[in-house]
Amino acid sequence: MALILGECLLRELRERKGISQQKLSENLFADYGISISDTMISKYERGLKYPNPLISRAICKALGCVEAELYNFLET
């Protein structure tokens, strides 16, 4: 069996914290020096793009979660 990325859960995690895409973008820059636009965050949430490991880690730190919570993982 292999694992593949399923649905991105970033939107759920972000909304649970009560912050907008814009605010997450601002927090990532202010706290970690990572410049990601709210448009790119939207693309991550819709599964159109995937963040690299450094960005994933910063997003998780900003949202208080771990990387494994960003996606549903599917077994094939």
Side-chain angles (χ1 to χ4, degrees):
M1 282 191 197
L3 285 177
I4 60 171
L5 284 179
E7 177 186 12
C8 178
L9 303 174
L10 175 54
R11 182 178 183 171
E12 288 179 32
L13 294 167
R14 178 182 57 75
E15 288 178 345
R16 197 175 307 150
K17 285 288 190 180
I19 62 174
S20 67
Q21 292 171 342
Q22 180 64 38
K23 183 64 177 166
L24 177 57
S25 173
E26 292 168 2
N27 290 352
L28 289 170
F29 185 73
D31 297 342
Y32 307 106
I34 294 177
S35 181
I36 299 293
S37 69
D38 57 328
T39 302
M40 186 59 72
I41 291 170
S42 174
K43 288 180 181 181
Y44 296 156
E45 290 179 352
R46 292 180 289 140
L48 301 177
K49 296 280 186 180
Y50 298 99
N52 69 41
L54 179 63
I55 294 170
S56 291
R57 183 67 181 136
I59 288 171
C60 289
K61 289 179 72 79
L63 296 176
C65 65
V66 295
E67 285 89 345
E69 295 175 295
L70 283 180
Y71 295 92
N72 280 328
F73 290 90
L74 308 172
E75 292 185 14
T76 59

